[in-house]
Amino acid sequence: MISKRLNTKITAMMASVITFFGLVTVFLVHMFLSQKINLNRVELIQSEINHQSSNLNRLFMTSINLANIVATDKSFVAYVKDQKKTLEVGEINEKLVNYNLGNNNLAIYLIGKNGITLASTDQSFFDQDYSFRQYFKKAITGTEYADVNLGVTSKKLGYYFASPIKSGEEIVGVAVVKMNPEVVFNLFDEADNASMSDLMLVDNFGIVVASKQEGVIYKSLGKISEDNMGKLLTENKYYGIEINALPYQSIIDDLPEVNESKKYNVMNTDSDKSEDLIVKKIGNFNFYLVGKINNTSVVGEVNNMGLKTGLTVFMTVFLAMVFISTIINKQLKPLGDLLILSRKILAGDLDSKNSVKSNDELAELGQTLETMSETLKHRYDELEKIVEERTAKLTEQAESMESTKLAVNNILSDVENVAVDLEKFKMAVENASDHIVITDAEGLIIYANKAVESITGFSRYSCIGKKAGNKELWGGQMTLDFYKKLWKTIKIDKKVFDGEVNNIKKSGQKYVAKISVSPVLNNKGEVMYFVGIERDITREKDVDQGKTDFIYLTSHQLRTPLSAMKWFCEMLLAGDAGKLNKDQTEFVTNISLSNMRMIDLVNSLLNISRIESGRIIVDSIPTDLGVLIQDVLTELDNKIKEKKQKVVVNIFEDLPKINIDPKLIREVYKNLLSNANKYTQEGGEIIVGVTKQDEEIISQISDNGFGIPVQGQSKIFERFYRAENILKLETEGTGLGLYLAKAIVESSKGKIWFKSEEGKGTSFWFTLPTSGVKAHDGQVTINS
Ligand code: ADP
């Protein structure tokens, strides 16, 4: 189980961390404690030594003071001076005893100038010669003395305090106080023993005179210098005693420098251990107190405490491990649950539920796992569904492929059928009198019938593979625009193109042909072939031209008599041939009106033939169409007013001036507007609009008049055609206006068309290229 492994890992980790820090703590505590205890011990000893030194100082001071008091006692002074003359020794001794206060001192005695004891509290001293004694020698020179000496006879140590006895300026003797050494020992006994392994009183030579350990008494702290050794022999201070050295050389050498307490760390060469010692001078006396710190007790104490701390740390580590292990087990339980959950999911059990119970991220993770598993299940289901659908689709596709295959087979057979059909078509048109070619989708001739040869002169087989309408054959006589338009109609728009084309025979003879090119599409709507049918209409054209010329000539010829008739009618009506009666006036008026119509007709015919003949002069100038329209409306104003019609003019604001022949285009507006006026009832509305769209200017003339019946709409631009509804109304007209308008618009590279509904109204539109119409030289102008 992961949780157990983790548990062990974490517990081990924590245990090592705790143990490590525990050990560090033990070490630090040990260090700190030993330092602290040492410090405390040093402080303690320090204060103990201070205390003992001040006790000793006080003790020594008492003794030296006593010696001074005794030395200044007048009776003693006199006694010593007179050499037993003043007082009896018994009295003096008695008096001395009175001075011997307490148990501190062993004896007080007075020594005469010669060194002989003259009086003493201790009778054994009486009459003894102490002239060799250091205390006598010093005091007799006038100096106070305080020191230790070994008793000559008693061999016991005594503390001697001597003061010179003066009679005036003369030193007459010495007063000596011998202090009891027990006092010092008692003091040492009282001293705190725990912290000190030893306490020693040392004289100015560095010789131990009192100690808690007897074995060190009369031993010097270290080797005594030769100088001092000489002095010691002279003074004979420790008469007959062999003085051995202790291993504290550094202290003995340093002794004269010691004043206040000083700490020493000395390597004890005997025990091979380092020892700490504190040395302090006692007041102004030549004595020193030396305290030895009990290091073993410190180390023991420290070790003891270290052991305790170590044990506590060990116990803490152990308990902490148990505790941590329990907590981790508890904390890792959700992790174990998570593991179980994820394993279930992994095994494909996507319905597993989250059983992790905790209030942390683990529960969230569990929830996420559960949601993930749900999502997975959902996706899995969806996927299965998709796979099912795809499988079904694939099956379907396989089936449809089968049917496509069938369809392809059918198409192939269709293609074969088409080829068969083509063959049949070829056979049918082989002997037709019209020139018929079949091209592929790119316009390359794949078949030409017999008539092609007879009409164009090109061998029908030489045409194969060549482009129809090309200069190589009979074509290429028209403008590039014409051929582009033709190609667009049949190839892109896939529509039939009808038109007239100028061609050239192999012999070089030009001819006009009426052509019709039809695209043949397959069932996908793609162009497979083009079928072109041409008929040489040069003859018809010639005949037509003949007709036009005839009309033109006759119309021209008619103009003169018609003008004369108009003139005579006006003269008759004016009474130039005598006043006409009512009937005569009416007849002549009718003649005049019919004559006028005849003139209109003739003018129209003339204009048409002028346009059609191409002899008309096109005089293009920049023209404002708005002004032109307004001009036409002014001309028609009477007629419009007569019928109370409303005229609305909407001209595109930024309409540029256009390069056209205003006389020709005026004719178009005039016809369309007069038609709107004629074929709209009284009170009707006429709307004239001009807009610009891309490269074209579009003019629109609309009315809400009688309209054009559906059956007449296809013939409206034919010559002399007038719709039935209009014929019934017997309005004036020739049926040539729209024909002329169309001829002018188309000769100006524009288009004209209309929309009409009988009884509702009619709208005519015509376009002019914004680039304008090229000027054209000719022989005649319109209405000339
Ligand atoms: P006309 O006006 O002299 O008859 P057009 O060539 O101008 O000759 O017009 C031919 C015919 O077209 C008219 O007779 C009329 O039937 C029809 N037509 C032309 N314009 C209109 C119009 N705005 N409303 C109704 N019919 C019209």
Side-chain angles (χ1 to χ4, degrees):
M1 289 291 283
I2 276 196
S3 59
K4 281 220 172 130
R5 287 204 297 270
L6 263 181
N7 180 10
T8 321
K9 270 186 196 170
I10 296 173
T11 313
M13 226 160 63
M14 299 284 274
S16 356
V17 169
I18 292 173
T19 311
F20 173 74
F21 283 106
L23 287 175
V24 170
T25 314
V26 170
F27 176 71
L28 290 175
V29 165
H30 188 272
M31 286 260 297
F32 174 76
L33 279 178
S34 61
Q35 238 175 28
K36 186 82 184 158
I37 289 172
N38 224 1
L39 262 174
N40 282 348
R41 193 54 55 95
V42 169
E43 270 171 27
L44 215 73
I45 292 168
Q46 194 94 54
S47 81
E48 186 60 32
I49 282 178
N50 286 346
H51 177 64
Q52 292 300 342
S53 108
S54 68
N55 279 348
L56 282 170
N57 188 40
R58 210 178 313 121
L59 203 66
F60 293 165
M61 282 303 286
T62 315
S63 296
I64 193 79
N65 284 343
L66 184 60
N68 283 334
I69 291 165
V70 169
T72 50
D73 188 305
K74 279 179 186 158
S75 56
F76 295 151
V77 173
Y79 174 73
V80 172
K81 191 182 174 188
D82 292 350
Q83 301 277 329
K84 301 180 208 174
K85 279 174 192 168
T86 320
L87 286 165
E88 284 302 313
V89 70
E91 285 171 49
I92 293 298
N93 281 348
E94 216 172 292
K95 210 175 171 188
L96 274 176
V97 171
N98 287 340
Y99 275 110
N100 190 14
L101 302 165
N103 299 321
N104 284 1
N105 300 316
L106 291 174
I108 306 172
Y109 49 106
L110 307 171
I111 302 171
K113 217 173 179 178
N114 50 3
I116 307 292
T117 306
L118 297 176
S120 174
T121 53
D122 185 337
Q123 285 309 306
S124 64
F125 293 177
F126 188 69
D127 213 19
Q128 295 282 338
D129 183 357
Y130 289 125
S131 59
F132 66 94
R133 280 296 192 184
Q134 204 60 29
Y135 54 80
F136 175 75
K137 283 182 176 171
K138 275 265 160 97
I140 205 71
T141 58
T143 317
E144 275 177 5
Y145 175 88
D147 204 352
V148 283
N149 273 302
L150 211 58
V152 184
T153 43
S154 67
K155 295 285 178 209
K156 279 188 181 166
L157 194 76
Y159 291 79
Y160 297 92
F161 299 88
S163 183
I165 303 169
K166 288 180 184 173
S167 168
E169 286 303 307
E170 189 194 353
I171 299 166
V172 291
V174 171
V176 183
V177 172
K178 185 182 177 187
M179 203 189 80
N180 187 357
E182 289 303 316
V183 182
V184 175
F185 286 117
N186 288 344
L187 270 178
F188 273 31
D189 285 345
E190 285 167 22
D192 173 20
N193 291 328
S195 52
M196 276 188 288
S197 60
D198 199 6
L199 182 64
M200 298 174 275
L201 182 66
V202 175
D203 73 355
N204 59 330
F205 288 103
I207 296 167
V208 180
V209 291
S211 166
K212 289 167 91 175
Q213 291 171 17
E214 271 191 31
V216 296
I217 292 178
Y218 305 130
K219 286 190 174 171
S220 58
L221 290 174
K223 216 173 146 242
I224 298 169
S225 68
E226 275 180 21
D227 221 19
N228 275 351
M229 196 52 110
K231 275 186 196 167
L232 205 59
L233 286 172
T234 326
E235 286 179 17
N236 211 4
K237 211 175 166 185
Y238 302 102
Y239 180 77
I241 298 266
E242 191 192 344
I243 293 172
N244 295 316
L246 289 168
Y248 307 124
Q249 193 60 42
S250 56
I251 302 179
I252 197 167
D253 294 341
D254 202 31
L255 219 48
E257 307 301 323
V258 176
N259 197 6
E260 279 307 305
S261 63
K262 201 167 173 185
K263 187 172 169 264
Y264 291 89
N265 182 267
V266 181
M267 193 60 205
N268 188 333
T269 44
D270 298 343
S271 64
D272 237 9
K273 277 183 185 159
S274 117
E275 288 177 354
D276 289 316
L277 297 104
I278 289 176
V279 183
K280 185 173 166 72
K281 194 171 189 240
I282 299 169
N284 290 321
F285 298 96
N286 285 327
F287 288 101
Y288 301 90
L289 259 181
V290 178
K292 208 162 103 183
I293 296 170
N294 193 350
N295 272 345
T296 30
S297 78
V298 172
V299 171
E301 208 172 313
V302 169
N303 284 346
N304 196 17
M305 285 181 86
L307 193 71
K308 279 182 191 163
T309 323
L311 265 172
T312 318
V313 168
F314 174 76
M315 279 307 289
T316 317
V317 169
F318 178 73
L319 286 174
M321 270 163 65
V322 173
F323 185 61
I324 288 167
S325 175
T326 320
I327 289 186
I328 288 173
N329 254 340
K330 199 166 177 276
Q331 290 297 316
L332 291 187
K333 190 175 175 298
L335 205 60
D337 294 346
L338 266 180
L339 186 70
I340 294 167
L341 180 64
S342 55
R343 277 184 181 160
K344 275 187 187 170
I345 293 171
L346 195 69
D349 180 4
L350 298 179
D351 290 318
S352 313
K353 291 286 163 220
N354 171 34
S355 63
V356 178
K357 282 185 183 59
S358 69
N359 53 356
D360 52 18
E361 291 90 339
L362 289 178
E364 229 173 271
L365 189 62
Q367 200 46 53
T368 314
L369 267 176
E370 189 186 310
T371 321
M372 195 180 85
S373 133
E374 277 171 15
T375 318
L376 260 174
K377 190 168 184 281
H378 184 64
R379 290 279 152 82
Y380 186 75
D381 290 348
E382 270 181 357
L383 209 70
E384 238 176 28
K385 220 166 152 189
I386 290 170
V387 168
E388 258 173 38
E389 279 171 17
R390 290 272 160 87
T391 318
K393 233 181 204 167
L394 275 173
T395 325
E396 210 175 274
Q397 271 173 4
E399 281 166 5
S400 100
M401 257 175 82
E402 203 46 47
S403 52
T404 310
K405 214 167 104 187
L406 277 173
V408 170
N409 285 341
N410 288 342
I411 288 168
L412 281 174
S413 69
D414 279 357
V415 170
E416 278 166 21
N417 290 343
V418 168
V420 172
D421 288 348
L422 199 65
E423 273 317 303
K424 283 184 195 162
F425 176 77
K426 281 180 189 171
M427 277 163 70
V429 300
E430 183 69 1
N431 296 312
S433 59
D434 286 338
H435 153 149
I436 294 171
V437 291
I438 300 172
T439 75
D440 65 6
E442 294 311 310
L444 297 174
I445 297 170
I446 54 174
Y447 168 80
N449 71 350
K450 278 185 190 161
V452 170
E453 210 169 289
S454 58
I455 293 172
T456 66
F458 289 98
S459 126
R460 55 197 290 213
Y461 299 107
S462 68
C463 304
I464 308 294
K466 288 180 181 158
K467 196 135 192 169
N470 200 308
K471 255 189 179 156
E472 259 187 289
L473 299 171
W474 49 86
Q477 301 302 305
M478 303 297 284
T479 60
L480 204 62
D481 276 355
F482 175 86
Y483 291 113
K484 274 186 186 167
K485 194 179 165 191
L486 187 154
W487 191 244
K488 182 179 173 286
T489 312
I490 58 172
K491 177 82 180 181
I492 296 159
D493 303 341
K494 295 168 187 170
K495 285 183 179 158
V496 178
F497 178 87
D498 288 314
E500 279 180 18
V501 61
N502 294 326
N503 279 344
I504 186 162
K505 297 186 180 183
K506 197 179 177 189
S507 60
Q509 188 194 342
K510 289 186 176 177
Y511 68 98
V512 183
K514 196 175 175 68
I515 61 164
S516 172
V517 188
S518 315
V520 178
L521 310 177
N522 61 15
N523 52 8
K524 280 189 205 157
E526 294 160 342
V527 175
M528 292 180 74
Y529 310 106
F530 294 112
V531 178
I533 305 171
E534 278 189 24
R535 180 174 295 165
D536 184 349
I537 53 161
T538 317
R539 272 179 59 85
E540 283 103 312
K541 274 285 196 190
D542 287 346
V543 172
D544 216 35
Q545 186 58 46
K547 267 196 317 198
T548 307
D549 291 347
F550 173 75
I551 290 170
Y552 181 75
L553 278 173
T554 44
S555 310
H556 215 265
Q557 292 303 317
L558 279 169
R559 263 174 62 153
T560 319
L562 285 172
S563 298
M565 270 177 75
K566 183 188 167 197
W567 186 65
F568 281 118
C569 281
E570 276 169 13
M571 279 173 62
L572 281 172
L573 286 169
D576 288 359
K579 199 171 168 6
L580 300 179
N581 61 28
K582 200 181 162 207
D583 285 345
Q584 287 170 333
T585 306
E586 195 188 324
F587 294 151
V588 176
T589 304
N590 280 342
I591 291 168
S592 174
L593 283 173
S594 297
N595 187 53
M596 285 297 284
R597 277 203 288 275
M598 284 287 280
I599 291 171
D600 277 349
L601 176 68
V602 166
N603 280 339
S604 294
L605 284 171
L606 276 172
N607 280 337
I608 287 167
S609 42
R610 279 176 195 131
I611 301 263
E612 284 185 342
S613 69
R615 291 181 302 126
I616 196 146
I617 301 166
V618 178
D619 196 7
S620 290
I621 51 164
T623 309
D624 185 332
L625 292 182
V627 174
L628 188 66
I629 290 166
Q630 209 49 60
D631 197 29
V632 175
L633 283 172
T634 312
E635 194 186 319
L636 295 172
D637 198 38
N638 282 339
K639 290 188 173 164
I640 289 164
K641 277 187 180 147
E642 231 171 69
K643 291 185 89 172
K644 300 185 185 102
Q645 287 164 338
K646 188 183 164 194
V647 179
V648 179
V649 182
N650 286 323
I651 310 274
F652 175 62
E653 254 182 37
D654 295 323
L655 193 70
K657 280 192 174 176
I658 177 168
N659 222 22
I660 46 147
D661 187 336
K663 289 194 287 308
L664 282 172
I665 301 304
R666 190 177 195 284
E667 222 31 56
V668 181
Y669 284 119
K670 196 179 136 191
N671 272 311
L672 296 176
L673 280 167
S674 70
N675 280 353
N677 163 254
K678 278 193 290 181
Y679 307 127
T680 300
Q681 66 286 355
E682 263 194 26
E685 190 178 56
I686 299 166
I687 299 169
V688 190
V690 185
T691 55
K692 183 174 172 285
Q693 211 174 69
D694 301 328
E695 299 303 301
E696 288 180 328
I697 288 173
I698 307 170
S699 299
Q700 177 184 358
I701 291 94
S702 302
D703 61 62
N704 58 352
F706 311 133
I708 305 161
V710 182
Q711 62 273 19
Q713 287 188 1
S714 59
K715 299 178 200 150
I716 215 73
F717 290 110
E718 283 179 13
R719 270 183 282 198
F720 304 113
Y721 180 79
R722 303 198 75 208
E724 274 175 40
N725 59 336
I726 297 311
L727 286 173
K728 280 183 201 153
L729 290 169
E730 295 178 3
T731 49
E732 285 176 18
T734 58
L736 288 173
L738 286 180
Y739 181 82
L740 180 67
K742 187 173 188 252
I744 294 172
V745 169
E746 283 179 353
S747 72
S748 305
K749 307 270 183 267
K751 288 174 288 184
I752 186 165
W753 71 100
F754 72 96
K755 250 187 184 171
S756 182
E757 203 178 323
E758 197 176 357
K760 287 206 170 161
T762 307
S763 284
F764 275 91
W765 291 272
F766 73 92
T767 65
L768 289 170
T770 46
S771 53
V773 180
K774 260 192 199 163
H776 180 268
D777 279 340
Q779 293 84 43
V780 287
T781 56
I782 200 129
N783 293 331
S784 54

